[in-house]
Amino acid sequence: MQAKKRYLILFAAGACLVLLFCFGGIQVPLSRRGPHRRDDRSLHPGARWHRWSGYLQPFSALGKDASDDLGGHMSPRQKRDTNSGLYAGKRCRMESCFDFSSCERNGFKVYVYPQQKGEKLSESYQNVLSSIEGSRFYTPDPGQACLFVLSLDTLDRDQLSPYYVHNLKAKIQSLPLWNEGRNHIIFNLYSGTWPDYTEDLGFDIGLAMLAKASISTENFRPNFDISIPLFSKDHPRTGGDRGYLKHNTIPPYRKYMLVFKGKRYLTGIGSDTRNALYHVHNSEDVVLLTTCKHGKDWQKHKDARCDKDNTEYDKYDYREMLYNSTFCLVPRGRRLGSFRFLEALQAACVPVMLSNGWELPFSEIIDWNTAAVIGDERLLLQIPSTVRSIHQDKILSLRQQTQFLWEAYFNSVEKIVLTTLEIIQDRVLLHSSRSSLMWNSLPGGLFALPQYSTNLGDFPFYYAKLGIKPYPKFTAVIHVVTPLVSLSQPVMKLIVAVAKSQYCAQVIILWNCDKPLPAKHRWPATSVPVTVIEGESKVIGSRFLPYDTIPTDAVLSLDEDTVLSTTEVDFAFTVWQSFPDRIVGYPARSHFWDSNKERWGYTSKWTNDYSMVLTGAAIYHKYYHHLYTAYLPESLRGMVDQMSNCEDILMNFLVSSVTKLPPIKVTQKKQYKETMMGQSSRASRWADPDHFAQRQTCMNKFASWFGTMPLVHSRMRLDPVLFKDQVSILRKKYREIERL
């Protein structure tokens, strides 16, 4: 009997142990596997159950030890979601921390707080705010705003910096519109200080978005924060320099294969990678130079290599290396980002990134695999062999993409800021956001406005990529400013000549005359529809409004006194079909730099080159009507309307800024305008002596807003085959052109 009891007790105890083991009460330590040993758990059917039961503890008690134990098996993004982070809104996303209601009511508008008395701004932050205030997104009314930007300088949060703003937390909390940071964006370039340089800004940003340089993947909140590049205080506010790739060299190799020149940190964060660069340096095609000579007490920490490194460092010119290397190493510094990133892009030196955990600038929209080599700090010794193995075709493609990205998004503070705002707008207006192709191919996301269309085939830039052609018809838009007095007026002849074109789909007469609209029967009878539209406010800029009545891709823009034959119209349209993203037409003008007056000049002299084709007789894509209205600021359009002049120059500035290419002139034709009408008519502006002076002023006003001179000179003129050749006229397709 006693033996039976003992067996029952042992059985009960064993059952309890089994139950405790199954439900996690007892943890059995697993032996550490050797490097060549298979996972023993895969051999047992119960392995999956034991693995699952081990995760019960973190769900029941989310303690620090549990989360630390899990950290060994988590990616940086998983750690980011699990850890508490540096600020309260660590888990923020657009759908949880952003109020879309004001954006839906008023559109995407941005409000900048007025500058507080006594608060100083760094030049860089002033450039950021000026870029926003000069953009089409800006509103002075906070009630209309979708997004808010602080006037308190948050760019430099290094406590040792002279630009550090003290008591920022209290100042921000006192703002009446702060609302825990909701719908706010904070710009930051530098955070943390010696010795650890953390990403803590020194205040709680709450629910605000962060546009930050050198942000880590671990702290980056996807679809909420925006990684921006680190730029210097000398970075231009507008315009910016072009990239340095002037022509493609085949094969695309330069004097050096891989270069770097910069500081070597002897102690502290960021020192590991730069201290190891000498292992790769060979003084021939791989030139990686570092110097210890920086900081006040560098000699206290100097090592055995410092003197040799410093001597070799001084032998090379940084700019010469940069412009003559195929690849440029971009290792992390004290922070993850580096000025060398933008310097390499501009120089068409393919960046080789060595900064583990850095969320690359504008990573949400830019495919960096097409413009950079993403390396690993732990595999530094493999970098030379890796870049040597890249095929020359790929190198050429990478180099070309660096130039596109530099000019599209990075060559000025304004473009960096506008790209940031456009990304947020795409998130807010998700139904009309840009595709990856729009962001990563010419002309870039800043010029491909999704409010016009989200269909790539509706833009003139993507026809070749999509393998399609523009619609094979055009719509003529004739700008009329004088009343009809006789059937022999130039505009009547022009309507008849244009309507006879085999490519004409419709004629639109834009009536900007002060007199009432003529009766319908007064217009000539044509085989295509003639629509008369009364101009909005009778201003000259109304000729570039995006009218819904234009059904075709191509617009033939005409002044009322233009003299063109049907043959000339046909030929110009045929040429435009091969260049749908450019202005194609007859009357050409040019610009020049007047060194005596130190300003841009405008000339109508007949020379061997030109940079503008006037829109009084030109064909272009109708998308430019939308871009003229939606992209250009009211200040420029208002100036044009007030002077009733320069609208054609402004359109040329816009198109050349988008394409980085000149317009195209077709067949030489000196007779462009009819004899000017009476001085009382509005068309007499061409004979007005002030007209030419105004155009000189416009050139400089426009160049100032664009931040650079976008117009490009050209010496190319396209004529019909056999034009002016001494052969039979019967062999020529466009016979009438030679008789004009």
Side-chain angles (χ1 to χ4, degrees), residues 615-674:
T615 54
I619 303 177
Y620 50 81
H621 198 281
K622 70 174 180 179
Y623 173 62
Y624 291 122
H625 279 192
H626 179 83
L627 209 57
Y628 183 96
T629 306
Y631 179 80
L632 294 176
E634 174 60 34
S635 59
L636 291 188
R637 291 184 283 115
M639 183 184 81
V640 165
D641 292 339
Q642 185 178 6
M643 293 191 304
S644 193
N645 194 356
C646 302
E647 83 290 351
D648 46 3
I649 297 178
L650 184 54
M651 178 60 88
N652 274 271
F653 265 71
L654 176 63
V655 176
S656 290
S657 178
V658 173
T659 63
K660 309 292 189 295
L661 295 168
I664 293 177
K665 175 174 174 52
V666 290
T667 308
Q668 191 79 321
K669 176 185 175 67
K670 290 193 175 182
Q671 184 185 17
Y672 167 50
K673 298 284 182 184
E674 283 276 20

Side-chain angles (χ1 to χ4, degrees), residues 227-513:
S227 177
I228 63 175
L230 183 65
F231 58 87
S232 70
K233 62 181 180 181
D234 299 322
H235 207 55
R237 186 181 75 82
T238 61
D241 294 330
R242 297 286 301 270
Y244 292 131
L245 184 64
K246 302 303 181 186
H247 52 82
N248 294 317
T249 54
I250 306 296
Y253 300 118
R254 293 175 170 175
K255 179 179 178 181
Y256 305 109
M257 177 59 69
L258 178 68
V259 300
F260 171 76
K261 187 178 183 183
K263 298 175 183 177
R264 177 161 69 89
Y265 305 112
L266 300 171
T267 60
I269 190 169
S271 60
D272 294 344
T273 301
R274 296 196 181 195
N275 275 331
L277 294 182
Y278 78 99
H279 290 295
V280 183
H281 170 75
N282 65 12
S283 297
E284 295 176 0
D285 64 339
V286 177
V287 181
L288 307 178
L289 307 171
T290 58
T291 180
C292 312
K293 198 184 298 183
H294 58 88
K296 296 179 180 179
D297 56 350
W298 69 272
Q299 290 184 330
K300 295 180 182 178
H301 304 285
K302 65 182 293 187
D303 57 21
R305 288 194 357 253
C306 275
D307 291 335
K308 181 181 178 182
D309 285 354
N310 293 343
T311 302
E312 188 145 8
Y313 183 89
D314 294 334
K315 291 180 182 177
Y316 292 84
D317 179 74
Y318 175 62
R319 294 290 171 186
E320 190 271 337
M321 292 171 60
L322 192 67
Y323 304 149
N324 290 283
S325 180
T326 306
F327 296 93
C328 285
L329 198 66
V330 185
R332 64 161 296 155
R334 291 300 193 191
R335 299 174 177 88
L336 292 171
S338 167
F339 291 132
R340 279 155 191 80
F341 179 67
L342 290 187
E343 292 169 351
L345 283 182
Q346 183 181 13
C349 186
V350 180
V352 179
M353 313 305 301
L354 277 186
S355 185
N356 292 7
W358 181 23
E359 190 74 25
L360 293 180
F362 303 138
S363 56
E364 184 174 335
I365 58 165
I366 294 177
D367 180 6
W368 282 111
N369 290 316
T370 64
V373 177
I374 315 299
D376 190 322
E377 293 179 73
R378 298 165 297 183
L379 303 176
L380 172 64
L381 299 181
Q382 296 182 16
I383 293 297
S385 59
T386 299
V387 297
R388 291 184 204 279
S389 68
I390 300 176
H391 193 271
Q392 61 183 27
D393 292 348
K394 179 65 173 176
I395 293 174
L396 182 60
S397 175
L398 290 168
R399 184 178 292 169
Q400 290 173 336
Q401 193 69 357
T402 64
Q403 300 301 273
F404 159 64
L405 294 176
W406 163 256
E407 294 180 9
Y409 307 120
F410 296 110
N411 69 349
S412 68
V413 175
E414 181 184 56
K415 287 193 178 163
I416 293 171
V417 171
L418 290 180
T419 303
T420 302
L421 297 182
E422 294 281 7
I423 290 172
I424 299 173
Q425 181 184 224
D426 274 10
R427 295 173 183 171
V428 172
L429 308 175
L430 193 59
H431 62 284
S432 60
S433 59
R434 298 164 181 81
S435 66
S436 177
L437 180 62
M438 288 181 174
W439 285 113
N440 290 280
S441 61
L442 288 167
L446 298 186
F447 287 121
L449 304 185
Q451 292 76 25
Y452 172 74
S453 175
T454 55
N455 178 19
L456 293 173
D458 291 336
F459 294 86
F461 321 115
Y462 311 114
Y463 291 139
K465 290 181 181 294
L466 299 175
I468 61 176
K469 294 182 178 180
Y471 185 70
K473 297 277 186 179
F474 67 81
T475 298
V477 178
I478 304 176
H479 185 230
V480 179
V481 295
T482 55
L484 290 182
V485 291
S486 72
L487 294 177
S488 60
Q489 280 183 230
V491 66
M492 307 298 271
K493 299 177 184 177
L494 183 62
I495 293 172
V496 172
V498 170
K500 285 182 179 178
S501 170
Q502 59 181 312
Y503 304 112
C504 183
Q506 182 183 10
V507 175
I508 294 177
I509 298 171
L510 181 60
W511 187 259
N512 266 350
C513 180

